[in-house]
Amino acid sequence: MAKKRGRGVAAVNYPTGMNLGGDPTQALVHSTPTGGIMVTLSSVDLGQGLRQIIAQICAETMGVPTDAVTIDTADTDTGPHCMGTFASRGTHRVGNAVIQAAQEARQVMLEVAAEELEADPVDLETDGVGNIHVKGASNRNISIFDTALAAHFKHGRSISGRGMFLVPRSYPETETGAMKPSTCYAHACTVAEVEVDDETGEVAVLSIKNVFEIGRALNPKMVEQQLVGGSWMGISHALYETTEPYYPKRDHGGRDYNEYLMPGPGDLAETEIAVLERPSGDGPYGAKGPGEMCANPQIPAVANAIFDAVGVRIDTLPITPERILRALKQREAA
Amino acid sequence: MAKVPVQFTLNGSERAEFVESGATLLTTLRDRMGDTSPKGGCHQGTCGACTVMVDGELRLSCLTLAETCEGADVRTTAGLANGEVLTPVQRAFEDAFAAQCGFCTPGMIMAATALLERNPKPDRAEVIEAISGNVCRCTGYEPIIRAVLSAARANSTSAA
């Protein structure tokens, strides 16, 4: 009876979004009379940071400061249609829709500014801090604040735009069954080191090293945060979490926070993450969806590390001490 | 049932309310006094999202009866900042991106604040111990631990 160490590796390809029935998101962008940019969505920010990322994408496209953009995730009854926040699709699908809406709104904004500056809209550029000027003549300028006022009260224009991003439904080819069920794959690879006590079946994850390829990191700090949290969730899926420990029987399922197991701050593995950026061709500014992908490779990596440590292959999650001990016993008996 | 009067200091202000007998401090703060900074996560004392300080000690406000706080000094996350000026712990949480959805954050900040008040220079193990009554679903705890350690460093620098 001893504590045995093992190391395991796993790699995943993970799709962004799904399109089994078509995968649309729509967005509307408009300016207030004082040049605030409103993005109306029915896409939900459930804590992952969608509002921040969409504000950055809109600001970049419109040529305005990020803090001039307000994201209204409003109401799924009244907002533009979105399939929802799932399948790691938020940044990619919503971002693409917002780019299209912001481009249309920017065009109106430049047309109004062009009237005010007596210039051609194609000769204008934005400075990103709230002004529009004639290319090569920054003294011929107008603020976005004044442009919006002029649009509303003088020109009768609406600085606004409509955006739509649709991944059309994919049908399988009759002969081969080949189809395109998803787009824009993110990738990850994880190496896990574990220590397994072959007397108690307990597993400690000593270290977890992850490499994530996520397209362009639009907000590097938020990406890092999501990946670190995701890596921990992957360990949690591998070793702790379940509502039905004896599935399909419902017996002994956790009934509250006390009984639903997750690793706490005292159970953390030494965690490393590395981010590779290979901008995607169809993503907003090259982004992919790392949300769920980042919590997946730890599971097979930990399972492989346990196999390496004690020679039993557990294919049911979570890998509890009981499952390890039963597998060890079975191997002895064989 | 007859309501009962409770009176205590909330973040430096005298407050008085009539509450149902048996009302928790959490519902009293949130529904009666308009301080929604303590969050109701589990309502059974396991998640720590409702953590506040009563007379300088951490309490789970979901398990604390409002009547037992008569005359007490109650502090919540809403009362920590001095206007726009955040405390070192709050600043560190912001700088370290130690929140994702943010639901656990007020409880974490109270736990961290109490720790640094009694132990200005905690090590990593002491930080882990201090936040072990607070559940976070998003961050994996690492950014929170780093934030508290960095707030401790900021404390010792400003004191020096």
Side-chain angles (χ1 to χ4, degrees), chain B residues 73-123:
Chain B
D73 177 33
V74 178
R75 288 165 68 199
T76 70
T77 318
L80 293 179
N82 179 10
E84 299 266 297
V85 184
L86 301 179
T87 66
V89 170
Q90 289 173 312
R91 257 201 321 277
F93 267 65
E94 192 179 20
D95 292 345
F97 281 62
Q100 212 177 96
C101 84
F103 203 77
C104 74
T105 309
M108 288 286 183
I109 284 179
M110 293 315 286
T113 302
L115 168 69
L116 296 185
E117 280 178 7
R118 63 173 192 273
N119 175 6
K121 288 181 188 172
D123 61 21

mmCIF file of all heavy atoms in Angstrom, chain B residues 73-123:
data_model
loop_
_atom_site.group_PDB
_atom_site.id
_atom_site.type_symbol
_atom_site.label_atom_id
_atom_site.label_comp_id
_atom_site.label_asym_id
_atom_site.label_seq_id
_atom_site.Cartn_x
_atom_site.Cartn_y
_atom_site.Cartn_z
ATOM 1 N N ASP B 73 -22.752 46.490 15.943
ATOM 2 C CA ASP B 73 -22.120 47.237 14.855
ATOM 3 C C ASP B 73 -21.999 46.289 13.663
ATOM 4 O O ASP B 73 -21.206 45.346 13.699
ATOM 5 C CB ASP B 73 -20.734 47.720 15.316
ATOM 6 C CG ASP B 73 -20.003 48.442 14.202
ATOM 7 O OD1 ASP B 73 -20.676 49.099 13.380
ATOM 8 O OD2 ASP B 73 -18.767 48.346 14.152
ATOM 9 N N VAL B 74 -22.826 46.507 12.644
ATOM 10 C CA VAL B 74 -22.867 45.605 11.488
ATOM 11 C C VAL B 74 -22.147 46.272 10.319
ATOM 12 O O VAL B 74 -22.404 47.444 10.008
ATOM 13 C CB VAL B 74 -24.326 45.276 11.088
ATOM 14 C CG1 VAL B 74 -24.354 44.379 9.849
ATOM 15 C CG2 VAL B 74 -25.065 44.624 12.247
ATOM 16 N N ARG B 75 -21.216 45.531 9.716
ATOM 17 C CA ARG B 75 -20.517 46.062 8.532
ATOM 18 C C ARG B 75 -20.725 45.113 7.353
ATOM 19 O O ARG B 75 -20.672 43.898 7.503
ATOM 20 C CB ARG B 75 -19.017 46.216 8.807
ATOM 21 C CG ARG B 75 -18.691 47.360 9.747
ATOM 22 C CD ARG B 75 -17.273 47.229 10.254
ATOM 23 N NE ARG B 75 -16.298 47.451 9.172
ATOM 24 C CZ ARG B 75 -15.032 47.034 9.243
ATOM 25 N NH1 ARG B 75 -14.611 46.363 10.301
ATOM 26 N NH2 ARG B 75 -14.207 47.273 8.253
ATOM 27 N N THR B 76 -20.942 45.695 6.192
ATOM 28 C CA THR B 76 -21.103 44.907 4.974
ATOM 29 C C THR B 76 -20.145 45.447 3.912
ATOM 30 O O THR B 76 -19.543 46.510 4.088
ATOM 31 C CB THR B 76 -22.536 45.005 4.417
ATOM 32 O OG1 THR B 76 -22.734 46.334 3.903
ATOM 33 C CG2 THR B 76 -23.578 44.712 5.491
ATOM 34 N N THR B 77 -20.060 44.743 2.800
ATOM 35 C CA THR B 77 -19.167 45.190 1.721
ATOM 36 C C THR B 77 -19.546 46.579 1.225
ATOM 37 O O THR B 77 -18.686 47.357 0.834
ATOM 38 C CB THR B 77 -19.225 44.199 0.539
ATOM 39 O OG1 THR B 77 -19.226 42.885 1.056
ATOM 40 C CG2 THR B 77 -18.046 44.375 -0.379
ATOM 41 N N ALA B 78 -20.852 46.883 1.272
ATOM 42 C CA ALA B 78 -21.303 48.187 0.776
ATOM 43 C C ALA B 78 -20.705 49.340 1.566
ATOM 44 O O ALA B 78 -20.609 50.457 1.054
ATOM 45 C CB ALA B 78 -22.829 48.253 0.809
ATOM 46 N N GLY B 79 -20.288 49.069 2.817
ATOM 47 C CA GLY B 79 -19.787 50.151 3.656
ATOM 48 C C GLY B 79 -18.277 50.241 3.719
ATOM 49 O O GLY B 79 -17.732 51.058 4.460
ATOM 50 N N LEU B 80 -17.572 49.442 2.951
ATOM 51 C CA LEU B 80 -16.112 49.425 3.070
ATOM 52 C C LEU B 80 -15.460 50.626 2.393
ATOM 53 O O LEU B 80 -14.594 51.285 2.971
ATOM 54 C CB LEU B 80 -15.539 48.132 2.464
ATOM 55 C CG LEU B 80 -15.868 46.827 3.198
ATOM 56 C CD1 LEU B 80 -15.251 45.654 2.456
ATOM 57 C CD2 LEU B 80 -15.379 46.869 4.639
ATOM 58 N N ALA B 81 -15.875 50.911 1.169
ATOM 59 C CA ALA B 81 -15.213 51.971 0.409
ATOM 60 C C ALA B 81 -15.543 53.332 1.019
ATOM 61 O O ALA B 81 -16.616 53.545 1.577
ATOM 62 C CB ALA B 81 -15.662 51.928 -1.046
ATOM 63 N N ASN B 82 -14.581 54.248 0.929
ATOM 64 C CA ASN B 82 -14.797 55.618 1.366
ATOM 65 C C ASN B 82 -15.170 56.425 0.128
ATOM 66 O O ASN B 82 -14.313 56.928 -0.575
ATOM 67 C CB ASN B 82 -13.506 56.118 2.024
ATOM 68 C CG ASN B 82 -13.635 57.556 2.485
ATOM 69 O OD1 ASN B 82 -14.740 58.112 2.476
ATOM 70 N ND2 ASN B 82 -12.516 58.150 2.866
ATOM 71 N N GLY B 83 -16.468 56.507 -0.138
ATOM 72 C CA GLY B 83 -16.921 57.136 -1.383
ATOM 73 C C GLY B 83 -16.405 56.340 -2.564
ATOM 74 O O GLY B 83 -16.673 55.158 -2.695
ATOM 75 N N GLU B 84 -15.622 57.010 -3.405
ATOM 76 C CA GLU B 84 -15.083 56.348 -4.593
ATOM 77 C C GLU B 84 -13.797 55.590 -4.277
ATOM 78 O O GLU B 84 -13.307 54.840 -5.111
ATOM 79 C CB GLU B 84 -14.774 57.388 -5.682
ATOM 80 C CG GLU B 84 -15.967 58.167 -6.160
ATOM 81 C CD GLU B 84 -16.586 57.540 -7.399
ATOM 82 O OE1 GLU B 84 -15.903 57.487 -8.433
ATOM 83 O OE2 GLU B 84 -17.752 57.102 -7.306
ATOM 84 N N VAL B 85 -13.242 55.846 -3.092
ATOM 85 C CA VAL B 85 -11.938 55.262 -2.769
ATOM 86 C C VAL B 85 -12.122 53.866 -2.193
ATOM 87 O O VAL B 85 -12.681 53.673 -1.114
ATOM 88 C CB VAL B 85 -11.169 56.151 -1.763
ATOM 89 C CG1 VAL B 85 -9.777 55.570 -1.515
ATOM 90 C CG2 VAL B 85 -11.070 57.575 -2.285
ATOM 91 N N LEU B 86 -11.632 52.870 -2.940
ATOM 92 C CA LEU B 86 -11.781 51.486 -2.512
ATOM 93 C C LEU B 86 -10.748 51.143 -1.440
ATOM 94 O O LEU B 86 -9.705 51.796 -1.341
ATOM 95 C CB LEU B 86 -11.595 50.550 -3.711
ATOM 96 C CG LEU B 86 -12.547 50.739 -4.883
ATOM 97 C CD1 LEU B 86 -12.207 49.756 -6.004
ATOM 98 C CD2 LEU B 86 -13.999 50.571 -4.458
ATOM 99 N N THR B 87 -11.046 50.117 -0.659
ATOM 100 C CA THR B 87 -10.053 49.623 0.306
ATOM 101 C C THR B 87 -8.988 48.830 -0.455
ATOM 102 O O THR B 87 -9.223 48.409 -1.590
ATOM 103 C CB THR B 87 -10.705 48.698 1.345
ATOM 104 O OG1 THR B 87 -11.165 47.514 0.673
ATOM 105 C CG2 THR B 87 -11.877 49.368 2.042
ATOM 106 N N PRO B 88 -7.814 48.606 0.182
ATOM 107 C CA PRO B 88 -6.775 47.819 -0.497
ATOM 108 C C PRO B 88 -7.292 46.451 -0.945
ATOM 109 O O PRO B 88 -6.914 45.965 -2.013
ATOM 110 C CB PRO B 88 -5.677 47.686 0.566
ATOM 111 C CG PRO B 88 -5.859 48.887 1.438
ATOM 112 C CD PRO B 88 -7.333 49.159 1.469
ATOM 113 N N VAL B 89 -8.150 45.821 -0.148
ATOM 114 C CA VAL B 89 -8.677 44.509 -0.528
ATOM 115 C C VAL B 89 -9.541 44.646 -1.782
ATOM 116 O O VAL B 89 -9.404 43.874 -2.739
ATOM 117 C CB VAL B 89 -9.500 43.887 0.628
ATOM 118 C CG1 VAL B 89 -10.241 42.646 0.142
ATOM 119 C CG2 VAL B 89 -8.601 43.541 1.808
ATOM 120 N N GLN B 90 -10.405 45.624 -1.812
ATOM 121 C CA GLN B 90 -11.267 45.819 -2.985
ATOM 122 C C GLN B 90 -10.435 46.126 -4.227
ATOM 123 O O GLN B 90 -10.680 45.592 -5.310
ATOM 124 C CB GLN B 90 -12.273 46.949 -2.726
ATOM 125 C CG GLN B 90 -13.352 46.562 -1.732
ATOM 126 C CD GLN B 90 -14.244 47.743 -1.368
ATOM 127 O OE1 GLN B 90 -13.758 48.829 -1.054
ATOM 128 N NE2 GLN B 90 -15.555 47.535 -1.413
ATOM 129 N N ARG B 91 -9.422 46.983 -4.058
ATOM 130 C CA ARG B 91 -8.550 47.331 -5.201
ATOM 131 C C ARG B 91 -7.830 46.101 -5.710
ATOM 132 O O ARG B 91 -7.722 45.868 -6.907
ATOM 133 C CB ARG B 91 -7.536 48.400 -4.794
ATOM 134 C CG ARG B 91 -7.889 49.788 -5.294
ATOM 135 C CD ARG B 91 -6.683 50.723 -5.338
ATOM 136 N NE ARG B 91 -5.760 50.577 -4.230
ATOM 137 C CZ ARG B 91 -5.912 51.138 -3.038
ATOM 138 N NH1 ARG B 91 -6.973 51.884 -2.783
ATOM 139 N NH2 ARG B 91 -5.008 50.953 -2.091
ATOM 140 N N ALA B 92 -7.348 45.279 -4.771
ATOM 141 C CA ALA B 92 -6.608 44.074 -5.167
ATOM 142 C C ALA B 92 -7.519 43.107 -5.928
ATOM 143 O O ALA B 92 -7.097 42.483 -6.900
ATOM 144 C CB ALA B 92 -6.017 43.396 -3.933
ATOM 145 N N PHE B 93 -8.769 42.987 -5.501
ATOM 146 C CA PHE B 93 -9.707 42.114 -6.218
ATOM 147 C C PHE B 93 -9.919 42.630 -7.640
ATOM 148 O O PHE B 93 -9.995 41.852 -8.587
ATOM 149 C CB PHE B 93 -11.057 42.041 -5.484
ATOM 150 C CG PHE B 93 -11.155 40.901 -4.519
ATOM 151 C CD1 PHE B 93 -10.330 40.866 -3.407
ATOM 152 C CD2 PHE B 93 -12.047 39.860 -4.718
ATOM 153 C CE1 PHE B 93 -10.397 39.809 -2.503
ATOM 154 C CE2 PHE B 93 -12.123 38.801 -3.831
ATOM 155 C CZ PHE B 93 -11.304 38.775 -2.715
ATOM 156 N N GLU B 94 -9.997 43.936 -7.770
ATOM 157 C CA GLU B 94 -10.194 44.525 -9.092
ATOM 158 C C GLU B 94 -8.951 44.272 -9.961
ATOM 159 O O GLU B 94 -9.063 43.790 -11.087
ATOM 160 C CB GLU B 94 -10.458 46.027 -8.946
ATOM 161 C CG GLU B 94 -10.955 46.685 -10.203
ATOM 162 C CD GLU B 94 -11.232 48.173 -10.006
ATOM 163 O OE1 GLU B 94 -10.710 48.775 -9.043
ATOM 164 O OE2 GLU B 94 -11.971 48.739 -10.830
ATOM 165 N N ASP B 95 -7.777 44.579 -9.403
ATOM 166 C CA ASP B 95 -6.537 44.451 -10.184
ATOM 167 C C ASP B 95 -6.258 42.997 -10.583
ATOM 168 O O ASP B 95 -5.723 42.739 -11.647
ATOM 169 C CB ASP B 95 -5.342 44.999 -9.387
ATOM 170 C CG ASP B 95 -5.431 46.508 -9.203
ATOM 171 O OD1 ASP B 95 -6.233 47.137 -9.926
ATOM 172 O OD2 ASP B 95 -4.721 47.048 -8.334
ATOM 173 N N ALA B 96 -6.594 42.053 -9.704
ATOM 174 C CA ALA B 96 -6.254 40.651 -9.956
ATOM 175 C C ALA B 96 -7.349 39.928 -10.732
ATOM 176 O O ALA B 96 -7.257 38.728 -10.923
ATOM 177 C CB ALA B 96 -5.985 39.930 -8.639
ATOM 178 N N PHE B 97 -8.381 40.636 -11.172
ATOM 179 C CA PHE B 97 -9.515 39.984 -11.837
ATOM 180 C C PHE B 97 -10.013 38.819 -10.968
ATOM 181 O O PHE B 97 -10.193 37.702 -11.454
ATOM 182 C CB PHE B 97 -9.127 39.478 -13.237
ATOM 183 C CG PHE B 97 -9.109 40.562 -14.274
ATOM 184 C CD1 PHE B 97 -8.248 41.631 -14.179
ATOM 185 C CD2 PHE B 97 -9.973 40.518 -15.356
ATOM 186 C CE1 PHE B 97 -8.224 42.634 -15.133
ATOM 187 C CE2 PHE B 97 -9.968 41.515 -16.319
ATOM 188 C CZ PHE B 97 -9.085 42.575 -16.199
ATOM 189 N N ALA B 98 -10.225 39.093 -9.690
ATOM 190 C CA ALA B 98 -10.576 38.028 -8.751
ATOM 191 C C ALA B 98 -12.078 37.772 -8.689
ATOM 192 O O ALA B 98 -12.560 37.120 -7.777
ATOM 193 C CB ALA B 98 -10.031 38.358 -7.363
ATOM 194 N N ALA B 99 -12.820 38.318 -9.636
ATOM 195 C CA ALA B 99 -14.252 38.026 -9.719
ATOM 196 C C ALA B 99 -14.582 37.672 -11.157
ATOM 197 O O ALA B 99 -13.985 38.194 -12.086
ATOM 198 C CB ALA B 99 -15.075 39.238 -9.300
ATOM 199 N N GLN B 100 -15.513 36.757 -11.316
ATOM 200 C CA GLN B 100 -15.998 36.531 -12.678
ATOM 201 C C GLN B 100 -17.478 36.901 -12.702
ATOM 202 O O GLN B 100 -17.830 37.992 -13.089
ATOM 203 C CB GLN B 100 -15.713 35.104 -13.127
ATOM 204 C CG GLN B 100 -15.451 35.057 -14.627
ATOM 205 C CD GLN B 100 -15.100 33.670 -15.114
ATOM 206 O OE1 GLN B 100 -15.941 32.940 -15.584
ATOM 207 N NE2 GLN B 100 -13.837 33.305 -15.019
ATOM 208 N N CYS B 101 -18.360 36.027 -12.212
ATOM 209 C CA CYS B 101 -19.770 36.434 -12.141
ATOM 210 C C CYS B 101 -19.995 37.379 -10.980
ATOM 211 O O CYS B 101 -20.935 38.160 -10.990
ATOM 212 C CB CYS B 101 -20.692 35.223 -12.045
ATOM 213 S SG CYS B 101 -20.923 34.558 -10.390
ATOM 214 N N GLY B 102 -19.141 37.320 -9.940
ATOM 215 C CA GLY B 102 -19.192 38.296 -8.865
ATOM 216 C C GLY B 102 -20.100 37.961 -7.698
ATOM 217 O O GLY B 102 -20.157 38.715 -6.732
ATOM 218 N N PHE B 103 -20.804 36.845 -7.760
ATOM 219 C CA PHE B 103 -21.783 36.570 -6.709
ATOM 220 C C PHE B 103 -21.109 36.267 -5.372
ATOM 221 O O PHE B 103 -21.621 36.629 -4.321
ATOM 222 C CB PHE B 103 -22.689 35.398 -7.128
ATOM 223 C CG PHE B 103 -24.012 35.391 -6.427
ATOM 224 C CD1 PHE B 103 -25.021 36.260 -6.821
ATOM 225 C CD2 PHE B 103 -24.245 34.528 -5.375
ATOM 226 C CE1 PHE B 103 -26.248 36.260 -6.169
ATOM 227 C CE2 PHE B 103 -25.469 34.521 -4.717
ATOM 228 C CZ PHE B 103 -26.480 35.392 -5.110
ATOM 229 N N CYS B 104 -19.950 35.624 -5.396
ATOM 230 C CA CYS B 104 -19.256 35.291 -4.149
ATOM 231 C C CYS B 104 -18.432 36.460 -3.635
ATOM 232 O O CYS B 104 -17.946 36.431 -2.512
ATOM 233 C CB CYS B 104 -18.356 34.067 -4.342
ATOM 234 S SG CYS B 104 -16.843 34.395 -5.296
ATOM 235 N N THR B 105 -18.220 37.476 -4.493
ATOM 236 C CA THR B 105 -17.218 38.509 -4.202
ATOM 237 C C THR B 105 -17.457 39.267 -2.894
ATOM 238 O O THR B 105 -16.521 39.446 -2.119
ATOM 239 C CB THR B 105 -17.115 39.480 -5.394
ATOM 240 O OG1 THR B 105 -16.934 38.719 -6.587
ATOM 241 C CG2 THR B 105 -15.956 40.420 -5.224
ATOM 242 N N PRO B 106 -18.698 39.723 -2.590
ATOM 243 C CA PRO B 106 -18.867 40.444 -1.323
ATOM 244 C C PRO B 106 -18.477 39.604 -0.111
ATOM 245 O O PRO B 106 -17.818 40.110 0.816
ATOM 246 C CB PRO B 106 -20.363 40.784 -1.300
ATOM 247 C CG PRO B 106 -20.790 40.747 -2.723
ATOM 248 C CD PRO B 106 -19.950 39.679 -3.368
ATOM 249 N N GLY B 107 -18.832 38.334 -0.118
ATOM 250 C CA GLY B 107 -18.470 37.460 0.998
ATOM 251 C C GLY B 107 -16.974 37.242 1.072
ATOM 252 O O GLY B 107 -16.377 37.252 2.152
ATOM 253 N N MET B 108 -16.343 37.051 -0.098
ATOM 254 C CA MET B 108 -14.886 36.877 -0.142
ATOM 255 C C MET B 108 -14.200 38.130 0.406
ATOM 256 O O MET B 108 -13.213 38.039 1.150
ATOM 257 C CB MET B 108 -14.430 36.644 -1.586
ATOM 258 C CG MET B 108 -14.788 35.289 -2.160
ATOM 259 S SD MET B 108 -13.735 34.001 -1.469
ATOM 260 C CE MET B 108 -14.344 32.585 -2.401
ATOM 261 N N ILE B 109 -14.703 39.286 0.010
ATOM 262 C CA ILE B 109 -14.072 40.538 0.439
ATOM 263 C C ILE B 109 -14.226 40.733 1.947
ATOM 264 O O ILE B 109 -13.287 41.167 2.626
ATOM 265 C CB ILE B 109 -14.638 41.725 -0.379
ATOM 266 C CG1 ILE B 109 -14.011 41.690 -1.783
ATOM 267 C CG2 ILE B 109 -14.388 43.058 0.320
ATOM 268 C CD1 ILE B 109 -14.471 42.768 -2.722
ATOM 269 N N MET B 110 -15.368 40.353 2.506
ATOM 270 C CA MET B 110 -15.522 40.451 3.959
ATOM 271 C C MET B 110 -14.570 39.488 4.659
ATOM 272 O O MET B 110 -13.929 39.850 5.659
ATOM 273 C CB MET B 110 -16.971 40.150 4.377
ATOM 274 C CG MET B 110 -17.998 41.178 3.931
ATOM 275 S SD MET B 110 -17.534 42.902 4.189
ATOM 276 C CE MET B 110 -17.717 43.065 5.963
ATOM 277 N N ALA B 111 -14.458 38.264 4.134
ATOM 278 C CA ALA B 111 -13.559 37.275 4.752
ATOM 279 C C ALA B 111 -12.112 37.765 4.687
ATOM 280 O O ALA B 111 -11.360 37.646 5.663
ATOM 281 C CB ALA B 111 -13.705 35.924 4.053
ATOM 282 N N ALA B 112 -11.738 38.327 3.535
ATOM 283 C CA ALA B 112 -10.366 38.817 3.375
ATOM 284 C C ALA B 112 -10.113 40.027 4.261
ATOM 285 O O ALA B 112 -9.040 40.168 4.867
ATOM 286 C CB ALA B 112 -10.114 39.171 1.913
ATOM 287 N N THR B 113 -11.106 40.914 4.345
ATOM 288 C CA THR B 113 -10.955 42.111 5.180
ATOM 289 C C THR B 113 -10.765 41.725 6.641
ATOM 290 O O THR B 113 -9.891 42.260 7.340
ATOM 291 C CB THR B 113 -12.196 43.013 5.010
ATOM 292 O OG1 THR B 113 -12.324 43.353 3.625
ATOM 293 C CG2 THR B 113 -12.081 44.285 5.830
ATOM 294 N N ALA B 114 -11.579 40.772 7.114
ATOM 295 C CA ALA B 114 -11.457 40.329 8.510
ATOM 296 C C ALA B 114 -10.093 39.696 8.759
ATOM 297 O O ALA B 114 -9.468 39.921 9.796
ATOM 298 C CB ALA B 114 -12.567 39.339 8.835
ATOM 299 N N LEU B 115 -9.625 38.917 7.780
ATOM 300 C CA LEU B 115 -8.305 38.286 7.920
ATOM 301 C C LEU B 115 -7.228 39.346 8.091
ATOM 302 O O LEU B 115 -6.413 39.279 9.018
ATOM 303 C CB LEU B 115 -7.990 37.422 6.684
ATOM 304 C CG LEU B 115 -6.539 36.940 6.578
ATOM 305 C CD1 LEU B 115 -6.224 35.914 7.670
ATOM 306 C CD2 LEU B 115 -6.250 36.360 5.197
ATOM 307 N N LEU B 116 -7.224 40.345 7.187
ATOM 308 C CA LEU B 116 -6.140 41.333 7.218
ATOM 309 C C LEU B 116 -6.253 42.244 8.434
ATOM 310 O O LEU B 116 -5.251 42.812 8.873
ATOM 311 C CB LEU B 116 -6.129 42.154 5.922
ATOM 312 C CG LEU B 116 -5.837 41.337 4.655
ATOM 313 C CD1 LEU B 116 -5.716 42.249 3.443
ATOM 314 C CD2 LEU B 116 -4.573 40.502 4.799
ATOM 315 N N GLU B 117 -7.455 42.375 8.996
ATOM 316 C CA GLU B 117 -7.577 43.181 10.218
ATOM 317 C C GLU B 117 -6.930 42.478 11.415
ATOM 318 O O GLU B 117 -6.360 43.123 12.285
ATOM 319 C CB GLU B 117 -9.059 43.496 10.507
ATOM 320 C CG GLU B 117 -9.552 44.646 9.637
ATOM 321 C CD GLU B 117 -11.023 44.986 9.843
ATOM 322 O OE1 GLU B 117 -11.661 44.412 10.765
ATOM 323 O OE2 GLU B 117 -11.538 45.828 9.075
ATOM 324 N N ARG B 118 -7.017 41.130 11.443
ATOM 325 C CA ARG B 118 -6.414 40.447 12.592
ATOM 326 C C ARG B 118 -5.006 39.943 12.283
ATOM 327 O O ARG B 118 -4.229 39.670 13.188
ATOM 328 C CB ARG B 118 -7.306 39.311 13.100
ATOM 329 C CG ARG B 118 -7.524 38.196 12.114
ATOM 330 C CD ARG B 118 -8.277 37.011 12.737
ATOM 331 N NE ARG B 118 -8.207 35.880 11.829
ATOM 332 C CZ ARG B 118 -9.074 35.676 10.835
ATOM 333 N NH1 ARG B 118 -10.095 36.497 10.648
ATOM 334 N NH2 ARG B 118 -8.924 34.644 10.025
ATOM 335 N N ASN B 119 -4.679 39.830 10.985
ATOM 336 C CA ASN B 119 -3.362 39.315 10.602
ATOM 337 C C ASN B 119 -2.927 40.022 9.321
ATOM 338 O O ASN B 119 -3.211 39.563 8.225
ATOM 339 C CB ASN B 119 -3.460 37.797 10.391
ATOM 340 C CG ASN B 119 -2.158 37.205 9.873
ATOM 341 O OD1 ASN B 119 -1.140 37.894 9.771
ATOM 342 N ND2 ASN B 119 -2.192 35.915 9.541
ATOM 343 N N PRO B 120 -2.242 41.160 9.471
ATOM 344 C CA PRO B 120 -1.927 41.994 8.283
ATOM 345 C C PRO B 120 -0.983 41.319 7.297
ATOM 346 O O PRO B 120 -0.907 41.756 6.157
ATOM 347 C CB PRO B 120 -1.285 43.249 8.874
ATOM 348 C CG PRO B 120 -1.549 43.202 10.340
ATOM 349 C CD PRO B 120 -1.757 41.769 10.718
ATOM 350 N N LYS B 121 -0.230 40.308 7.736
ATOM 351 C CA LYS B 121 0.725 39.662 6.825
ATOM 352 C C LYS B 121 0.496 38.157 6.763
ATOM 353 O O LYS B 121 1.347 37.369 7.195
ATOM 354 C CB LYS B 121 2.167 39.945 7.273
ATOM 355 C CG LYS B 121 2.603 41.386 7.033
ATOM 356 C CD LYS B 121 4.029 41.573 7.479
ATOM 357 C CE LYS B 121 4.413 43.054 7.426
ATOM 358 N NZ LYS B 121 5.730 43.287 8.026
ATOM 359 N N PRO B 122 -0.622 37.735 6.217
ATOM 360 C CA PRO B 122 -0.892 36.298 6.176
ATOM 361 C C PRO B 122 -0.052 35.627 5.089
ATOM 362 O O PRO B 122 0.311 36.249 4.102
ATOM 363 C CB PRO B 122 -2.378 36.236 5.807
ATOM 364 C CG PRO B 122 -2.600 37.486 5.008
ATOM 365 C CD PRO B 122 -1.668 38.527 5.564
ATOM 366 N N ASP B 123 0.248 34.332 5.291
ATOM 367 C CA ASP B 123 0.860 33.568 4.205
ATOM 368 C C ASP B 123 -0.256 32.872 3.411
ATOM 369 O O ASP B 123 -1.423 32.975 3.752
ATOM 370 C CB ASP B 123 1.910 32.580 4.737
ATOM 371 C CG ASP B 123 1.317 31.553 5.691
ATOM 372 O OD1 ASP B 123 0.088 31.340 5.643
ATOM 373 O OD2 ASP B 123 2.077 30.977 6.490
#
